[in-house]
Each structure stands twice: as C-alpha cells, then as structure tokens.
Amino acid sequence: MSSKLLLSTRNLKTWFPIKKGVFARTVGYVRAVDDVSIDIYDGETLGVVGESGCGKSTLARTILKLEKPRSGSILMNGEDLLTMKGDQLKAFRRSVQVVFQNPQASLNPRHTVLELVTEAMLAYGLTTRETRHADAGKLLNDVGMPSDVLDRYPHEFSGGQRQRISIARALSLNPKLLICDEAVSALDLSVRAQVLNLLEELQQKRKLSYLFITHDIGVVEHISDRIAVMYLGKILETGPTADVLDTPAHPYTRLLMRAVPRIGTPLPEDDTAPVEISQTKEIKGCPFAPRCPLADDHCRSNTPPLEALKSAKHQCACFKPSV
C-alpha cells in the first residue's frame, strides 16, 4: 500500500431538509453524513461498515458529487472536488467509478454487454466503433467472463455474472478509485467469495483503491486494509483492520461483530435491531448512547471526540473505550 493520499474528506456534512406544511417550510434535517473525515490512500481498501440507514451510501454519493454537501471538503489528489467544473470534473468522473448493490437494477436491460461496457469508453475517446469488440473482450476476460457474451443482454446472466459485468463497466475508464456500495450483499455466499477474490486480484493488477461499503463487518475483514465504523452519520471507530477487529474499542463495533454468524456459535439475541432515533434535530451527546449498555448521563450530554487509542492510527469516539 502506498503512502500517497488519494482522496480525503474533512468535516463533511450532507443533510436533507424535512419540509412540512402548505408552504413547505423546513422543520428539521436528516443528518445522513454529519462531520465525517476519512482518508483513502493509493492501492488500499477502506471499508465503511454500519447498519442500513447509517449514512454509508450517502457518503459515497456525496464523494461522487451525486449529492451536494452542506459543508466540509472533498479533496482528490489535493484538488477540491466541490469547485470542479468542465474538463476538470470530467477527468474526476473518469478517475472515480462505482459498483452498485443490485446489478439487475444498475444495468440497462435494453443494452447488450458490448454497449454496457463500451458506452463510457466511446464517450471519453478510449475506444472506437472498430476496436470496441476487442477492448470489451479484454475487460470481460479480466473479470472472469468469456468474450463471446458481448451480444447478450443482462437478463440472460446470473446475479454473480451481472455483477462481474458491472465491475467490467466500472473498470472501462481505468479509474484510480472504485466505490463498491454493498457490491456483494445481494449475492449468494459462494458467489460473494468469488467476487471478493476477483476484486482483490484486480486491485493488485490495476493498482486500484477501494472505498468498500457494507453492513457486514465480516466481509470487510477479508478485503479491507482499514475500517471506519459508521453510525447515524458519524464515524465511531476507525483504524487498521487488525486493530479494529482484534481489539474493538467501541460498544457499537463489538455489537456488529457479535451479529456475524460463526460456525459452532449460537446466534446472538436480536440486540442489533435499530431503534427509533430522530435525526430531525441535533443529537446531544453520543449518538449511540440510547443503545449503549455503558452509557451514563455524561455520555448522553456530551459528544465524544474521535481520539487515538494505544495506536495513533486506531481511533475511537467513546468516553469508555474497551482498549
């Protein structure tokens, strides 16, 4: 893994207004991303993990400039994404691509595999009508698909094959950063392992960086160099994968780890079910306090900062970390 910083966010906030009444007045905000700072380095995988609704996908959409942040900054190779326009923005969109959760929904059913894989390449001048068959065939070979399927349509493939086609499409512009938004959660376990192995092989071959978003902390264990645990729009714990999983410091991280089924281990009680926590007004204190067995009045009244533990790279936002 390189020490060169590829992308970073600083104090990023993406809030969605809640409007009510005849005049559609703003009565509050959903704080989907609330003061998030992350770093992604060349050739590494940062895994962002958390329950559904914690803000993971909104973070990805904000980085892709599909959502407009309320405040904060996003830097790509030192350049501010939020001020990019024209050719500079076009170059950024080429360097950052995304693989969505559901390939059946993200692939146009009326387009052949050839059209799906080469549409963006034609737009950026990376191939021609004469050479696109050969270029598409190379991409399919890279993702473990035969090149003789170029004239077929998405509905003719299995879920795992469709996701491989999605990955080939994402790689068609030779990106530096690939955002995988729950890219394996809709796949069977055996197929999931194959796709994860494929992503690791492609990372080594193409020197890719990944922002890997998932609700399954067991998945990031196998693919991520570092982990960021997210809850209600905030990062509660982050650090190298081994540090976070071997010595989880935050109660929420430990709760997510207990939710991963293990062979020979009984399933935990349903203590991971989300509770009704309103995001229409600013949360006072620790966002996890309503669910935390260790929370006291101090936790409910004060917001813990994200601070380093024994290792400077391992950080946790908790007044009572277990490390």
Side-chain angles (χ1 to χ4, degrees), residues 239-295:
T241 300
D243 290 352
V244 174
L245 298 185
D246 292 346
T247 55
H250 200 283
Y252 181 59
T253 307
R254 297 196 295 274
L255 184 148
L256 288 176
M257 293 184 65
R258 290 203 305 272
V260 179
R262 305 286 183 181
I263 296 177
T265 303
L267 292 174
E269 296 180 2
D270 190 20
D271 59 351
T272 61
V275 297
E276 296 286 338
I277 299 178
S278 172
Q279 287 185 288
T280 60
K281 56 184 178 180
E282 188 174 1
I283 299 173
K284 294 182 179 179
C286 175
F288 190 62
R291 297 175 64 183
C292 182
L294 304 177

Side-chain angles (χ1 to χ4, degrees), residues 36-52:
V36 170
S37 298
I38 61 171
D39 293 320
I40 303 175
Y41 293 88
D42 271 345
E44 79 154 357
T45 300
L46 173 66
V48 178
V49 62
E51 294 167 294
S52 297

Side-chain angles (χ1 to χ4, degrees), residues 47 49 227-231 234-239 243-245 247-254 306 309 313-318 322-323:
V49 62
I227 295 176
V229 180
M230 196 168 179
Y231 183 74
K234 294 183 179 293
I235 301 296
L236 298 188
E237 184 170 0
T238 185
D243 290 352
V244 174
L245 298 185
T247 55
H250 200 283
Y252 181 59
T253 307
R254 297 196 295 274
L306 192 63
L309 301 172
K313 295 181 180 180
H314 188 183
Q315 299 176 315
C316 179
C318 182
S322 62
V323 179

